Amino acid sequence: MSNETLLSLSSNSFFVAFILLLIAIIPIGLAVKSKGKIFGKIGLLLTYIAFALQLVYFILRWIAVDHAPVSNMYEFMTFFGIMLTGSYLIIHFLYKQIVVGLFTIPVSLIILGYGSVFTKTVSPLVPSLQSNWLTIHVMTVAFSSAVLSVSFATGIIYLLRTLDVSKFSMSTVALEFVMYCLIVVIGFIGVATYFNLAGDKIEVQFENKLEKKETAEYTMTPLIVNKGAVTASGDQVGVLQITNKLDAKKLNTIVWSFIVGTILYGVIVLITRRRLIVLLKPLTNRVQPVLIDEITYRAVVIGFPLFALGGLLFAMIWAQIAWSRYWGWDPKEVWALITFLFYAAFLHFRLSKGWEGEKTAWLAIIGFGIIVFNQVFVNLVIAGLHSYA
């Protein structure tokens, strides 16, 4: 079987799995609202089938590209999303709380959708990536991050269950902002997909910070450009010009994401005439807060040591092989350390200071924010040795 055929089968498996997960949300949602078990069984069965197909995607792609498919943003975010689905199934096996899937699966779908925006092109690995320790390091980080991300979902469930979302307070406003940020990511997926399908790319020329001519290819209509930027034909372009010390193309993407995400959020609120947290709260009415708090804590207990192994120990072994040093204060390394220290503090406050309930939920949400910042923003925006990822 040719590599092209394997990649095609891999992509088809991934697509079917995505659709099944999308469908699974419906019976899981019905299971949360009803007392019957049939909906929960259907939703869980669809999730298991989807996870199996995701593993088929991963294995077939591994065979086709002849290395672990975790070497670029598409592959990493896809594997991250797959592991989040698997992490939910593990948590459900332990605690039998179907409501966790209702909040975890949409986050997994958002991560998978985000990853699909990036190029799926198979390319040879650069020398520093040609190591088995890369596979061990990245896969462990993805799995541990996914387990920790379950605590994000359960943290939201806990807050929705315990907070009076009908009132305005710092907690309810902050929780609504978290929901808004998720909508912004969906907005990014939507706008990026639209412009990729449209295929109208614009080349913009400008002088970079080294005063050398540089060309940037904009997929999205350029609103933000670098100072002095013009098209190939010499026409002025963009709405706002910024200093050449910043990457205007990436900032342009962020601006488009917030524009579309804000519009989408506004449409939802206008149609329903309710804030998102008010819409979601009824889904948590049958939740036992103490049990959800326990799941949040246990997810961190499982994910933290795995992250310590993958994000620090295995990463340092790979760094020694790739760059002949264990630690170099690369932005990615610094934020991996920050993530480790944050969750270490999480467990310290939980065990020694008695931080439970709402405090634990907020720490879990903040921790997920740090993971996303590390895996997405640091990779894409901050220049470093991990920029190729």
Side-chain angles (χ1 to χ4, degrees):
M1 192 175 293
S2 66
N3 289 344
E4 289 76 12
T5 303
L6 287 172
L7 287 173
S8 177
L9 290 173
S10 174
S11 297
N12 290 337
S13 298
F14 178 79
F15 178 75
V16 174
F18 187 92
I19 298 300
L20 288 177
L21 281 180
L22 200 60
I23 296 172
I25 295 175
I26 298 173
I28 290 176
L30 293 173
V32 169
K33 296 292 290 183
S34 65
K35 295 182 179 180
K37 295 183 178 180
I38 184 64
F39 292 120
K41 291 180 179 179
I42 293 173
L44 199 59
L45 176 62
L46 290 173
T47 305
Y48 271 109
I49 295 173
F51 181 63
L53 288 172
Q54 288 176 332
L55 293 181
V56 169
Y57 144 80
F58 186 75
I59 293 169
L60 291 180
R61 188 174 178 88
W62 192 330
I63 296 172
V65 302
D66 200 28
H67 60 77
V70 289
S71 59
N72 56 42
M73 278 298 289
Y74 166 71
E75 294 175 344
F76 176 81
M77 296 307 296
T78 299
F79 186 67
F80 184 10
I82 293 172
M83 288 298 98
L84 183 51
T85 304
S87 298
Y88 158 65
L89 292 174
I90 293 172
I91 294 297
H92 184 272
F93 175 79
L94 296 174
Y95 291 97
K96 303 297 187 293
Q97 293 295 301
I98 195 73
V99 68
V100 177
L102 187 59
F103 287 81
T104 303
I105 291 175
V107 175
S108 176
L109 289 171
I110 290 173
I111 292 172
L112 294 172
Y114 176 83
S116 67
V117 170
F118 298 94
T119 178
K120 304 174 183 63
T121 304
V122 176
S123 56
L125 294 178
V126 298
S128 62
L129 297 182
Q130 296 173 7
S131 169
N132 289 331
W133 281 105
L134 166 71
T135 302
I136 298 171
H137 155 56
V138 177
M139 292 180 68
T140 307
V141 167
F143 179 54
S144 61
S145 297
V147 176
L148 292 170
S149 298
V150 172
S151 69
F152 164 73
T154 53
I156 288 178
I157 294 171
Y158 182 91
L159 292 173
L160 287 171
R161 176 67 179 84
T162 58
L163 292 177
D164 185 355
V165 297
S166 63
K167 297 180 180 179
F168 283 92
S169 65
M170 287 186 62
S171 294
T172 57
V173 171
L175 187 58
E176 183 70 14
F177 178 73
V178 172
M179 298 295 106
Y180 165 75
C181 289
L182 291 176
I183 297 297
V184 167
V185 178
I186 295 174
F188 165 77
I189 296 170
V191 71
T193 302
Y194 169 77
F195 279 112
N196 283 333
L197 291 175
D200 295 328
K201 298 181 180 179
I202 300 176
E203 289 191 351
V204 174
Q205 298 176 349
F206 61 95
E207 286 189 356
N208 59 27
K209 60 183 178 181
L210 300 177
E211 297 184 352
K212 294 183 178 179
K213 183 171 287 188
E214 184 175 330
T215 299
E217 187 177 74
Y218 280 70
T219 303
M220 301 181 184
T221 301
L223 301 176
I224 311 295
V225 296
N226 288 112
K227 188 176 181 180
V230 294
T231 63
S233 59
D235 297 328
Q236 294 293 323
V237 66
V239 177
L240 177 65
Q241 294 189 350
I242 63 172
T243 175
N244 292 356
K245 295 180 180 180
L246 299 177
D247 191 325
K249 179 183 175 182
K250 292 174 180 176
L251 183 58
N252 184 70
T253 301
I254 294 173
V255 169
W256 266 110
S257 302
F258 272 95
I259 290 174
V260 176
T262 301
I263 292 173
L264 180 59
Y265 173 82
V267 169
I268 295 173
V269 172
L270 285 174
I271 292 175
T272 62
R273 297 184 179 181
R274 296 179 184 179
R275 289 173 293 151
L276 292 182
I277 56 175
V278 176
L279 289 172
L280 294 174
K281 184 177 177 62
L283 299 174
T284 64
N285 286 342
R286 297 168 60 191
V287 166
Q288 301 176 35
V290 175
L291 179 57
I292 292 299
D293 179 59
E294 175 70 12
I295 296 174
T296 303
Y297 167 62
R298 292 299 176 185
V300 175
V301 167
I302 297 171
F304 173 69
L306 287 173
F307 185 85
L309 283 173
L312 294 180
L313 180 60
F314 297 158
M316 287 190 287
I317 295 173
W318 172 46
Q320 172 62 25
I321 295 172
W323 303 306
S324 301
R325 91 291 188 277
Y326 290 102
W327 189 267
W329 298 104
D330 183 71
K332 189 79 170 180
E333 295 169 340
V334 171
W335 278 96
L337 179 60
I338 291 172
T339 305
F340 169 82
L341 293 175
F342 176 84
Y343 281 104
F346 178 110
L347 293 176
H348 169 74
F349 288 129
R350 172 84 183 198
L351 296 174
S352 65
K353 301 296 183 180
W355 282 27
E356 299 180 356
E358 186 174 341
K359 291 180 179 179
T360 290
W362 279 117
L363 287 177
I365 291 172
I366 294 170
F368 179 75
I370 294 174
I371 289 174
V372 171
F373 183 88
N374 187 19
Q375 306 297 357
V376 177
F377 187 84
V378 174
N379 273 17
L380 297 180
V381 179
I382 302 177
L385 292 173
H386 292 75
S387 296
Y388 50 71

